[in-house]
């Protein structure tokens, strides 16, 4: 529900930098990350992930730049992604 909200963060800080810091701490690669989003503040984050997903109700500009878009919106899209991860490890999408 943040599509009309204003997010204020320090310069150079966003979801991607936060994820990068966490992955560095855990010594993991972003290539092993599947990210899902729906709004403007997800662009950098999803570009950083090895596999990027947008839910069906995501902004059109975000849906154009991801590896795939779920059929379901909001939480239903997240459930759809989790089910795909469990059943096929996203093999059907070349990941």
């Amino acid at each position: 529900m943040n599509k009309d909200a204003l997010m204020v963060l320090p310069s150079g800080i966003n979801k991607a930098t936060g994820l990068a810091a966490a992955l560095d701490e855990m010594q993991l690669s972003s290539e092993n990350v599947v990210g899902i989003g729906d709004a403007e503040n997800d662009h950098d984050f999803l570009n950083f992930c090895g596999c990027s997903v947008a839910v069906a109700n995501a902004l059109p500009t975000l849906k154009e730049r991801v590896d795939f878009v779920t059929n379901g919106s909001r939480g239903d899209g997240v459930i759809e992604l989790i089910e795909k991860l469990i059943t096929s490890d996203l093999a059907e999408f070349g990941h």
Side-chain angles (χ1 to χ4, degrees):
M1 302 296 178
N2 65 347
K3 291 181 184 168
D4 294 325
L6 174 65
M7 183 178 292
V8 179
L9 295 170
S11 179
I13 302 296
N14 59 34
K15 289 181 180 184
T17 59
L19 176 59
L23 292 175
D24 186 53
E25 181 74 23
M26 295 183 288
Q27 298 181 342
L28 297 172
S29 167
S30 64
E31 287 300 311
N32 298 318
V33 174
V34 176
I36 188 165
D38 69 346
E40 295 95 342
N41 63 338
D42 294 318
H43 282 282
D44 290 338
F45 162 70
L46 291 174
N47 285 337
F48 186 67
C49 295
C51 179
S52 58
V53 181
V55 290
N57 63 297
L59 297 176
T61 57
L62 191 72
K63 293 195 298 191
E64 292 170 0
R65 298 175 59 190
V66 296
D67 294 312
F68 71 93
V69 177
T70 64
N71 292 315
S73 295
R74 299 173 183 76
D76 290 338
V78 175
I79 291 169
E80 179 184 336
L81 173 61
I82 292 168
E83 288 173 348
K84 286 185 185 302
L85 283 166
I86 291 170
T87 59
S88 71
D89 198 27
L90 298 180
E92 64 194 91
F93 300 102
H95 289 277

mmCIF file of all heavy atoms in Angstrom, residues 9-25 30 41-49:
data_model
loop_
_atom_site.group_PDB
_atom_site.id
_atom_site.type_symbol
_atom_site.label_atom_id
_atom_site.label_comp_id
_atom_site.label_asym_id
_atom_site.label_seq_id
_atom_site.Cartn_x
_atom_site.Cartn_y
_atom_site.Cartn_z
ATOM 1 N N LEU A 9 14.917 8.295 2.735
ATOM 2 C CA LEU A 9 16.081 7.564 3.218
ATOM 3 C C LEU A 9 17.320 8.421 3.006
ATOM 4 O O LEU A 9 17.327 9.305 2.152
ATOM 5 C CB LEU A 9 16.245 6.254 2.441
ATOM 6 C CG LEU A 9 15.152 5.215 2.591
ATOM 7 C CD1 LEU A 9 15.342 4.093 1.579
ATOM 8 C CD2 LEU A 9 15.162 4.649 4.003
ATOM 9 N N PRO A 10 18.394 8.142 3.733
ATOM 10 C CA PRO A 10 19.646 8.863 3.479
ATOM 11 C C PRO A 10 20.096 8.645 2.039
ATOM 12 O O PRO A 10 19.822 7.593 1.438
ATOM 13 C CB PRO A 10 20.625 8.228 4.462
ATOM 14 C CG PRO A 10 19.778 7.622 5.526
ATOM 15 C CD PRO A 10 18.509 7.193 4.840
ATOM 16 N N SER A 11 20.792 9.584 1.493
ATOM 17 C CA SER A 11 21.297 9.493 0.128
ATOM 18 C C SER A 11 22.108 8.211 -0.050
ATOM 19 O O SER A 11 22.950 7.872 0.772
ATOM 20 C CB SER A 11 22.174 10.710 -0.181
ATOM 21 O OG SER A 11 22.674 10.622 -1.484
ATOM 22 N N GLY A 12 21.841 7.493 -1.131
ATOM 23 C CA GLY A 12 22.573 6.275 -1.432
ATOM 24 C C GLY A 12 22.078 5.032 -0.709
ATOM 25 O O GLY A 12 22.658 3.964 -0.857
ATOM 26 N N ILE A 13 21.018 5.152 0.058
ATOM 27 C CA ILE A 13 20.474 4.013 0.794
ATOM 28 C C ILE A 13 19.127 3.628 0.192
ATOM 29 O O ILE A 13 18.255 4.469 0.011
ATOM 30 C CB ILE A 13 20.286 4.338 2.296
ATOM 31 C CG1 ILE A 13 21.604 4.753 2.931
ATOM 32 C CG2 ILE A 13 19.652 3.152 3.023
ATOM 33 C CD1 ILE A 13 22.658 3.672 2.949
ATOM 34 N N ASN A 14 18.977 2.350 -0.143
ATOM 35 C CA ASN A 14 17.712 1.836 -0.653
ATOM 36 C C ASN A 14 17.638 0.343 -0.367
ATOM 37 O O ASN A 14 18.511 -0.212 0.313
ATOM 38 C CB ASN A 14 17.551 2.151 -2.148
ATOM 39 C CG ASN A 14 18.663 1.559 -2.990
ATOM 40 O OD1 ASN A 14 19.181 0.481 -2.708
ATOM 41 N ND2 ASN A 14 19.032 2.254 -4.057
ATOM 42 N N LYS A 15 16.627 -0.312 -0.859
ATOM 43 C CA LYS A 15 16.475 -1.749 -0.608
ATOM 44 C C LYS A 15 17.658 -2.542 -1.149
ATOM 45 O O LYS A 15 18.080 -3.532 -0.549
ATOM 46 C CB LYS A 15 15.177 -2.265 -1.231
ATOM 47 C CG LYS A 15 13.923 -1.791 -0.529
ATOM 48 C CD LYS A 15 12.694 -2.378 -1.194
ATOM 49 C CE LYS A 15 11.423 -1.932 -0.512
ATOM 50 N NZ LYS A 15 10.238 -2.563 -1.100
ATOM 51 N N ALA A 16 18.203 -2.133 -2.278
ATOM 52 C CA ALA A 16 19.340 -2.849 -2.863
ATOM 53 C C ALA A 16 20.578 -2.738 -1.980
ATOM 54 O O ALA A 16 21.286 -3.739 -1.789
ATOM 55 C CB ALA A 16 19.639 -2.318 -4.263
ATOM 56 N N THR A 17 20.856 -1.564 -1.443
ATOM 57 C CA THR A 17 22.034 -1.429 -0.582
ATOM 58 C C THR A 17 21.847 -2.202 0.716
ATOM 59 O O THR A 17 22.805 -2.774 1.251
ATOM 60 C CB THR A 17 22.370 0.048 -0.286
ATOM 61 O OG1 THR A 17 21.259 0.673 0.361
ATOM 62 C CG2 THR A 17 22.715 0.806 -1.560
ATOM 63 N N GLY A 18 20.636 -2.234 1.223
ATOM 64 C CA GLY A 18 20.360 -3.030 2.414
ATOM 65 C C GLY A 18 20.547 -4.513 2.160
ATOM 66 O O GLY A 18 21.160 -5.226 2.965
ATOM 67 N N LEU A 19 20.040 -4.984 1.017
ATOM 68 C CA LEU A 19 20.210 -6.392 0.660
ATOM 69 C C LEU A 19 21.686 -6.707 0.452
ATOM 70 O O LEU A 19 22.170 -7.748 0.906
ATOM 71 C CB LEU A 19 19.407 -6.728 -0.598
ATOM 72 C CG LEU A 19 19.570 -8.148 -1.135
ATOM 73 C CD1 LEU A 19 19.159 -9.189 -0.095
ATOM 74 C CD2 LEU A 19 18.770 -8.315 -2.421
ATOM 75 N N ALA A 20 22.414 -5.820 -0.210
ATOM 76 C CA ALA A 20 23.845 -6.039 -0.443
ATOM 77 C C ALA A 20 24.597 -6.184 0.876
ATOM 78 O O ALA A 20 25.461 -7.059 1.022
ATOM 79 C CB ALA A 20 24.432 -4.896 -1.273
ATOM 80 N N ALA A 21 24.273 -5.353 1.848
ATOM 81 C CA ALA A 21 24.926 -5.422 3.157
ATOM 82 C C ALA A 21 24.609 -6.749 3.850
ATOM 83 O O ALA A 21 25.495 -7.394 4.427
ATOM 84 C CB ALA A 21 24.501 -4.243 4.026
ATOM 85 N N ALA A 22 23.355 -7.163 3.784
ATOM 86 C CA ALA A 22 22.955 -8.430 4.413
ATOM 87 C C ALA A 22 23.645 -9.612 3.736
ATOM 88 O O ALA A 22 24.151 -10.518 4.412
ATOM 89 C CB ALA A 22 21.438 -8.591 4.356
ATOM 90 N N LEU A 23 23.693 -9.616 2.402
ATOM 91 C CA LEU A 23 24.335 -10.708 1.681
ATOM 92 C C LEU A 23 25.830 -10.750 1.958
ATOM 93 O O LEU A 23 26.418 -11.829 2.086
ATOM 94 C CB LEU A 23 24.070 -10.590 0.183
ATOM 95 C CG LEU A 23 22.636 -10.826 -0.261
ATOM 96 C CD1 LEU A 23 22.486 -10.545 -1.756
ATOM 97 C CD2 LEU A 23 22.166 -12.230 0.076
ATOM 98 N N ASP A 24 26.449 -9.586 2.050
ATOM 99 C CA ASP A 24 27.870 -9.517 2.377
ATOM 100 C C ASP A 24 28.127 -10.124 3.756
ATOM 101 O O ASP A 24 29.060 -10.909 3.941
ATOM 102 C CB ASP A 24 28.354 -8.068 2.335
ATOM 103 C CG ASP A 24 29.849 -7.961 2.528
ATOM 104 O OD1 ASP A 24 30.592 -8.630 1.789
ATOM 105 O OD2 ASP A 24 30.273 -7.205 3.435
ATOM 106 N N GLU A 25 27.295 -9.791 4.703
ATOM 107 C CA GLU A 25 27.416 -10.324 6.060
ATOM 108 C C GLU A 25 27.279 -11.850 6.071
ATOM 109 O O GLU A 25 27.970 -12.543 6.812
ATOM 110 C CB GLU A 25 26.351 -9.694 6.960
ATOM 111 C CG GLU A 25 26.382 -10.139 8.387
ATOM 112 C CD GLU A 25 27.532 -9.551 9.181
ATOM 113 O OE1 GLU A 25 28.065 -8.489 8.789
ATOM 114 O OE2 GLU A 25 27.898 -10.154 10.199
ATOM 115 N N SER A 30 24.226 -12.240 -4.729
ATOM 116 C CA SER A 30 22.912 -11.754 -5.166
ATOM 117 C C SER A 30 22.354 -12.602 -6.299
ATOM 118 O O SER A 30 21.150 -12.592 -6.544
ATOM 119 C CB SER A 30 23.001 -10.291 -5.602
ATOM 120 O OG SER A 30 23.839 -10.167 -6.737
ATOM 121 N N ASN A 41 10.011 1.890 -5.481
ATOM 122 C CA ASN A 41 11.146 1.657 -4.597
ATOM 123 C C ASN A 41 11.718 0.243 -4.722
ATOM 124 O O ASN A 41 12.643 -0.115 -4.001
ATOM 125 C CB ASN A 41 10.757 1.945 -3.141
ATOM 126 C CG ASN A 41 9.677 1.021 -2.616
ATOM 127 O OD1 ASN A 41 8.916 0.439 -3.377
ATOM 128 N ND2 ASN A 41 9.598 0.893 -1.311
ATOM 129 N N ASP A 42 11.226 -0.542 -5.660
ATOM 130 C CA ASP A 42 11.722 -1.899 -5.867
ATOM 131 C C ASP A 42 12.642 -2.021 -7.090
ATOM 132 O O ASP A 42 13.260 -3.070 -7.279
ATOM 133 C CB ASP A 42 10.546 -2.874 -6.015
ATOM 134 C CG ASP A 42 9.748 -3.000 -4.737
ATOM 135 O OD1 ASP A 42 10.366 -3.076 -3.658
ATOM 136 O OD2 ASP A 42 8.505 -3.009 -4.810
ATOM 137 N N HIS A 43 12.760 -1.000 -7.910
ATOM 138 C CA HIS A 43 13.568 -1.082 -9.134
ATOM 139 C C HIS A 43 15.014 -1.492 -8.850
ATOM 140 O O HIS A 43 15.503 -2.482 -9.417
ATOM 141 C CB HIS A 43 13.544 0.239 -9.909
ATOM 142 C CG HIS A 43 12.302 0.457 -10.705
ATOM 143 N ND1 HIS A 43 12.073 -0.149 -11.920
ATOM 144 C CD2 HIS A 43 11.219 1.216 -10.456
ATOM 145 C CE1 HIS A 43 10.905 0.226 -12.390
ATOM 146 N NE2 HIS A 43 10.356 1.053 -11.510
ATOM 147 N N ASP A 44 15.732 -0.744 -8.035
ATOM 148 C CA ASP A 44 17.143 -1.054 -7.763
ATOM 149 C C ASP A 44 17.291 -2.409 -7.101
ATOM 150 O O ASP A 44 18.195 -3.181 -7.425
ATOM 151 C CB ASP A 44 17.776 0.028 -6.877
ATOM 152 C CG ASP A 44 17.955 1.340 -7.600
ATOM 153 O OD1 ASP A 44 18.006 1.347 -8.852
ATOM 154 O OD2 ASP A 44 18.053 2.380 -6.909
ATOM 155 N N PHE A 45 16.413 -2.700 -6.152
ATOM 156 C CA PHE A 45 16.419 -3.976 -5.444
ATOM 157 C C PHE A 45 16.283 -5.136 -6.425
ATOM 158 O O PHE A 45 17.062 -6.092 -6.400
ATOM 159 C CB PHE A 45 15.282 -3.960 -4.413
ATOM 160 C CG PHE A 45 14.866 -5.299 -3.893
ATOM 161 C CD1 PHE A 45 15.691 -6.029 -3.053
ATOM 162 C CD2 PHE A 45 13.632 -5.831 -4.224
ATOM 163 C CE1 PHE A 45 15.299 -7.266 -2.565
ATOM 164 C CE2 PHE A 45 13.227 -7.058 -3.733
ATOM 165 C CZ PHE A 45 14.068 -7.780 -2.904
ATOM 166 N N LEU A 46 15.302 -5.061 -7.315
ATOM 167 C CA LEU A 46 15.063 -6.155 -8.250
ATOM 168 C C LEU A 46 16.177 -6.277 -9.275
ATOM 169 O O LEU A 46 16.516 -7.389 -9.700
ATOM 170 C CB LEU A 46 13.699 -5.999 -8.915
ATOM 171 C CG LEU A 46 12.510 -6.203 -7.974
ATOM 172 C CD1 LEU A 46 11.197 -5.884 -8.681
ATOM 173 C CD2 LEU A 46 12.481 -7.611 -7.407
ATOM 174 N N ASN A 47 16.783 -5.164 -9.673
ATOM 175 C CA ASN A 47 17.920 -5.219 -10.591
ATOM 176 C C ASN A 47 19.109 -5.929 -9.952
ATOM 177 O O ASN A 47 19.934 -6.518 -10.650
ATOM 178 C CB ASN A 47 18.346 -3.813 -11.017
ATOM 179 C CG ASN A 47 17.398 -3.205 -12.007
ATOM 180 O OD1 ASN A 47 16.670 -3.902 -12.712
ATOM 181 N ND2 ASN A 47 17.390 -1.888 -12.071
ATOM 182 N N PHE A 48 19.220 -5.860 -8.647
ATOM 183 C CA PHE A 48 20.320 -6.463 -7.908
ATOM 184 C C PHE A 48 20.132 -7.971 -7.733
ATOM 185 O O PHE A 48 21.102 -8.717 -7.578
ATOM 186 C CB PHE A 48 20.442 -5.767 -6.536
ATOM 187 C CG PHE A 48 21.619 -6.191 -5.724
ATOM 188 C CD1 PHE A 48 22.911 -5.894 -6.117
ATOM 189 C CD2 PHE A 48 21.432 -6.885 -4.540
ATOM 190 C CE1 PHE A 48 24.003 -6.278 -5.357
ATOM 191 C CE2 PHE A 48 22.512 -7.279 -3.764
ATOM 192 C CZ PHE A 48 23.807 -6.973 -4.179
ATOM 193 N N CYS A 49 18.903 -8.443 -7.771
ATOM 194 C CA CYS A 49 18.595 -9.858 -7.532
ATOM 195 C C CYS A 49 18.903 -10.712 -8.759
ATOM 196 O O CYS A 49 18.769 -10.266 -9.885
ATOM 197 C CB CYS A 49 17.119 -10.022 -7.174
ATOM 198 S SG CYS A 49 16.666 -9.235 -5.621
#
